């Protein structure tokens, strides 16, 4: 299960998109979708779309965004629920 403070998460995603377009100048548009709420292990929980006149830069841009998301720049929390019905929260925001 994923939880977020929407205004902060949206702002962090906008900043990330801006950074990515500065890093990869041929990139025109970026769309990022991240699941909130329940999610099944092994299912897709984020989608990143990038438009560019260069497929190499588009691919590099997607990798850049994934790396930044994996470095936990966006305030989205993952609540893990195990088989014994206990749960724990993982804070994906290093800035907090």
């Amino acid at each position: 299960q994923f939880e977020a403070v929407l205004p902060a998460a949206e702002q962090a995603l906008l900043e990330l998109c801006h950074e990515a377009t500065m890093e990869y100048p041929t990139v025109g548009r970026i769309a990022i979708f991240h699941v909130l709420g329940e999610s099944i292990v092994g299912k897709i929980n984020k989608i990143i779309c990038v438009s560019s006149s260069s497929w190499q830069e588009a691919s590099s841009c997607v990798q850049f965004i994934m790396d930044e998301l994996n470095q936990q720049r966006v305030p989205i929390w993952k609540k893990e629920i195990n088989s014994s019905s206990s749960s724990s929260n993982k804070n994906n925001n290093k800035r907090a």
Side-chain angles (χ1 to χ4, degrees), residues 2-54:
F2 292 96
E3 298 174 355
V5 177
L6 286 182
E10 288 171 348
Q11 183 62 38
L13 288 170
L14 284 172
E15 290 170 8
L16 179 56
C17 289
H18 178 73
E19 245 180 78
T21 58
M22 295 292 103
E23 182 75 22
Y24 301 97
T26 66
V27 168
R29 294 187 181 256
I30 300 171
I32 302 173
F33 170 82
H34 197 298
V35 169
L36 295 177
E38 290 186 27
S39 179
I40 299 170
V41 174
K43 296 291 182 183
I44 294 171
N45 59 31
K46 59 184 83 74
I47 298 170
I48 301 168
C49 300
V50 174
S51 68
S52 174
S53 58
S54 165

